Amino acid sequence: MARIACSHLMPSLLHPLKQQRNHYKLMGVVGGLSRGFSASSMKISMSLRAGIVGLPNVGKSTLFNAVVENGKAQAANFPFCTIEPNVGIVAVPDKRLNVLSDLSKSQRVVPASIEFVDIAGLVKGASQGEGLGNKFLSHIREVDSILQVVRCFEDNDIVHVNGKVDPKSDIDVINLELVFSDLDQIEKRIEKLKKGKGKDSQSKVKEEAERSALERIKEALMDGKPARSVSLTDFEKDAIKHLCLLTMKPVIFVANVAESDVADPGSNPYVNQVMNLASELQSGLVTISAQVESELTELPADERTEFLKSLGVSESGLGNLIRATYNLLGLRTYFTSGEKETKAWTILAGMTAPQAAGVIHSDFEKGFIRAETVSYDDFVAAGSLAAAREKGVLPNSQIKVIFGMHVDYERDG
C-alpha cells in the first residue's frame, strides 16, 4: 500500500459542543476522497504525493505547470505553496465543500490537497546512471503513485525523442528502467538475506517471508511484469515495504491528447493502445490535454466553464486526474464542518469510525466511544444536523459516506 503518513495531527479542528465530565461531543462531517491541509499552520495532516514522469517532449512539465496553476484557481482562499520549483500542492476540487460551508456559515473552507512532483531525468539507461540517473530513481521512490504521461498527439513542431509517436515504446522504455532498478535492488537484498541470520524466531520468520516474496517478484520482473502483479500476503507486503520497490507503486497512465480529442478520446488510436497496456499492467488510465489545461490558466475564472463547454467537456482534466489517483490509492474523504471552518480530510477505504476520527487527532481514536452519522445527501436535504435527527435519518451506520458526525470520546485524566 502506498505511504499514507499522518505527519502532523492538528488539535482543535473539531470544536467541543458539549462537555460533560471527561466526555466531549464534537461535530464533524465525512464524505468521499482527500487529504487535510491546515490553512493557518501549513502543516500537512496526511501526506499524499504523486510523481509525474515521462520522456522528453510528451507534455509532462506543461501538464505539471498547468495543473498546479489550475489547482490554485480552484480555491482562492486556500494557501498554496511551492515547496520546490518542481513540487506543487493542489486543492482537490469538491463542490460539496461549498455546500457544507454555506449550511454551516463557515468562516473559511479548507479543501483536501495533493502534492504533485515533476520528476525530471528519465531517459533510456537511467537505471545505469544515464540522465539524472540515481537522482531520478530516488525521487520516484518518495512518491505514493506514479503518473506516467504518454504522448498521444501528432505535432510536427514538437519533436519526439525517438523520432515518432509510439505510446507502447514510450511506456516500455520507462517501465524497463523501473524494472532494472528493482531487479538490482532485489538481487542485492536476497544475497544479504542469505548471509544474514535473524536474531530471534520472529526475525527469522519475517526474513523468510521477505526472501520468498522477493524470489517471486524477481521472477515476475524477469518476465517483464511489475512487482504489483505478484500476489502477496499482508505479512509479505510488510516484510518488503522497506525496499520501496518502484514497480510496486500504483501507476496511472496519463494519455496526453490534442485539444481536438478532448471530447472523444476513444477515437484516438494512441489512447486505445494505452488503454490496452494499462489493463495488462494493472494500471489506471486518464485522458487529459496538457494544452487545454495550459490555456485554462490564461483565462479568467468566469470564462473557463464556457471554454470547456466549447470543447464538449464539463470540467477540467484536473478533477479526473485527482479522482483517479485517489481511487487507485483506495482513499476517501470525510469533512468536518462548523462556524470556524469546513474542511476535507483523507481516510483509507475500509477505515473504522475510530480510525477516521483518529486522523484528526489521536485522542479521538484512543478514547473513542461512539459516532453518530448522517449521509451527505440527507444532511443537505435536512439543512442541519438537528433537522436530520428530527427526520430520523440519524444515525446512519454507513461510514463510507459520512457527513455529520458526533464523536464521543473519553479523555485520559
Side-chain angles (χ1 to χ4, degrees), residues 298-336:
E298 301 174 3
L299 295 175
D302 57 348
E303 294 182 17
R304 296 184 182 193
T305 301
E306 287 303 316
F307 175 63
L308 290 171
K309 284 183 179 178
S310 71
L311 297 177
V313 294
S314 59
E315 68 171 338
S316 159
L318 172 64
N320 290 330
L321 186 61
I322 292 177
R323 278 191 289 274
T325 302
Y326 273 82
N327 288 334
L328 193 68
L329 293 175
L331 302 178
R332 299 291 182 268
T333 298
Y334 76 86
F335 308 106
T336 56

Side-chain angles (χ1 to χ4, degrees), residues 152 154 160 179 339 359:
C152 294
E154 297 279 2
H160 191 283
V179 165
E339 291 185 7
V359 168

Side-chain angles (χ1 to χ4, degrees), residues 123-181:
V123 295
K124 188 173 183 179
S127 57
Q128 278 77 48
E130 295 294 329
L132 294 182
N134 293 331
K135 186 176 182 181
F136 158 76
L137 297 174
S138 66
H139 285 167
I140 206 169
R141 288 189 197 284
E142 296 171 357
V143 301
D144 303 297
S145 61
I146 300 171
L147 307 181
Q148 189 176 147
V149 182
V150 184
R151 179 171 168 174
C152 294
F153 65 89
E154 297 279 2
D155 190 331
N156 293 331
D157 294 330
I158 304 177
V159 180
H160 191 283
V161 67
N162 293 326
K164 65 176 182 177
V165 178
D166 187 343
K168 185 179 185 307
S169 175
D170 292 357
I171 290 172
D172 286 345
V173 167
I174 293 176
N175 287 349
L176 277 174
E177 294 306 320
L178 303 185
V179 165
F180 289 150
S181 177

Side-chain angles (χ1 to χ4, degrees), residues 52 58-60 62-64 66-67 70 116 147-153 252-259 261-263 265 268 271 285-294 296 313 315-322:
I52 303 178
V58 298
K60 177 176 64 71
T62 300
L63 177 63
F64 170 79
V67 163
N70 280 342
F116 285 102
L147 307 181
Q148 189 176 147
V149 182
V150 184
R151 179 171 168 174
C152 294
F153 65 89
I252 294 176
F253 292 113
V254 183
N256 185 17
V257 301
E259 182 179 304
D261 289 330
V262 170
N268 184 320
V271 173
L285 171 66
V286 170
T287 301
I288 197 169
S289 172
Q291 178 187 356
V292 169
E293 297 301 318
S294 181
L296 282 172
V313 294
E315 68 171 338
S316 159
L318 172 64
N320 290 330
L321 186 61
I322 292 177

Side-chain angles (χ1 to χ4, degrees), residues 26 118 137 142 147 229 249 256 289 297 353 357-358 393 412-413:
L26 307 140
D118 184 6
L137 297 174
E142 296 171 357
L147 307 181
S229 67
K249 295 181 183 295
N256 185 17
S289 172
T297 66
V393 293
D412 292 337

